[in-house]
Amino acid sequence: MTLWRWAALAGLGVIIIALAFGRIEGMHACAAGGDPILAFEFVTSPAEVARLFPDHCRAVHAAAQHKGLVLDALGFIPVYSAFLIVSLLALRRAAGRWERLLADIGISLTVIAALCDQFEGVQLFHILATLPGDQETINLLMPAVRGKFALLALALIVSGWLLVRTRGWHILPGVAIIGLALLSLSGLAGNHAMVLQGSSLGWFALIAVALIKSVRRAA
């Protein structure tokens, strides 16, 4: 199989697991509005955690978040890391000297982001075990979450730029991916919903590129 076919396969895995998060029973038990996983990731104090887990739904919601963290650690993080790394490797093969260096940087950013994500999961597991958690754990969580999203957005920007440099039809998705990654980065300044919107759409755009290139390669 070519690298783009492997990337397409991993990309489909990303979509399947992302959809699976929303099907975890009890994830929306507290009906706080917005994305409950994102809200939990971006907590800044035990008081915020307590508001996400009120007494009437705490047990059900905590159990759902625990299942989500297990799925994240064992499934989502390895699969999205593999997708982005293989996509960058595929783009690297057709790149010049400096673009290959840029692809290597993108791969490094992805690996560091995945490690931040796993560290984030450890802190969230601890908060769930000691609801509403403590400020020391949350202080460790905050930079890991923001660092993860920032690094993944930068890796997306690298992939988008490499697509633009490939020229042809790649320019349009490349520009879209760069713009969406910048939107995700801007959301870190306050509007956290933009972080998820920008990153999700950027990932879907790159997955679409991988699927198209895998089919074209097969043809």
Side-chain angles (χ1 to χ4, degrees):
M1 292 177 70
T2 67
L3 286 174
W4 280 118
R5 290 178 191 171
W6 282 114
L9 186 62
L12 290 174
V14 169
I15 293 174
I16 291 169
I17 297 175
L19 293 174
F21 283 115
R23 297 183 64 84
I24 296 175
E25 185 178 356
M27 188 59 76
H28 297 273
C30 293
D35 186 280
I37 295 176
L38 190 71
F40 188 29
E41 288 180 320
F42 276 100
V43 292
T44 59
S45 69
E48 279 190 34
V49 176
R51 285 194 293 272
L52 292 175
F53 295 87
D55 291 340
H56 71 278
C57 59
R58 176 174 295 181
V60 174
H61 191 197
Q65 289 281 6
H66 190 278
K67 291 177 183 177
L69 288 173
V70 172
L71 179 61
D72 193 37
L74 301 182
F76 195 55
I77 297 173
V79 171
Y80 82 60
S81 302
F83 165 70
L84 193 49
I85 288 171
V86 175
S87 297
L88 286 164
L89 286 172
L91 289 166
R92 188 184 188 278
R93 292 181 65 176
R97 177 185 175 187
W98 294 110
E99 283 82 8
R100 288 198 296 271
L101 177 60
L102 191 60
D104 291 339
I105 292 172
I107 291 169
S108 299
L109 292 173
T110 303
V111 172
I112 298 170
L115 292 174
C116 286
D117 208 352
Q118 293 288 9
F119 180 78
E120 166 198 318
V122 171
Q123 307 314 310
L124 291 172
F125 273 123
H126 180 71
I127 292 171
L128 285 177
T130 60
L131 284 172
D134 57 81
Q135 192 61 51
E136 182 179 354
T137 301
I138 294 174
N139 288 343
L140 292 172
L141 170 69
M142 289 191 289
V145 172
R146 287 153 181 79
K148 170 194 71 175
F149 280 115
L151 291 168
L152 288 176
L154 291 173
L156 271 181
I157 289 172
V158 169
S159 66
W161 176 248
L162 292 174
L163 284 169
V164 170
R165 294 289 293 173
T166 306
R167 303 186 184 281
W169 68 272
H170 305 89
I171 293 177
L172 182 60
V175 170
I177 288 168
I178 291 172
L180 290 165
L182 290 172
L183 177 67
S184 181
L185 274 176
S186 69
L188 291 173
N191 188 350
H192 297 150
M194 290 171 58
V195 175
L196 188 59
Q197 292 168 1
S199 61
S200 297
L201 292 174
W203 281 84
F204 287 145
L206 186 56
I207 291 169
V209 170
L211 289 169
I212 292 170
K213 290 184 76 67
S214 66
V215 171
R216 286 167 65 94
R217 180 74 67 176

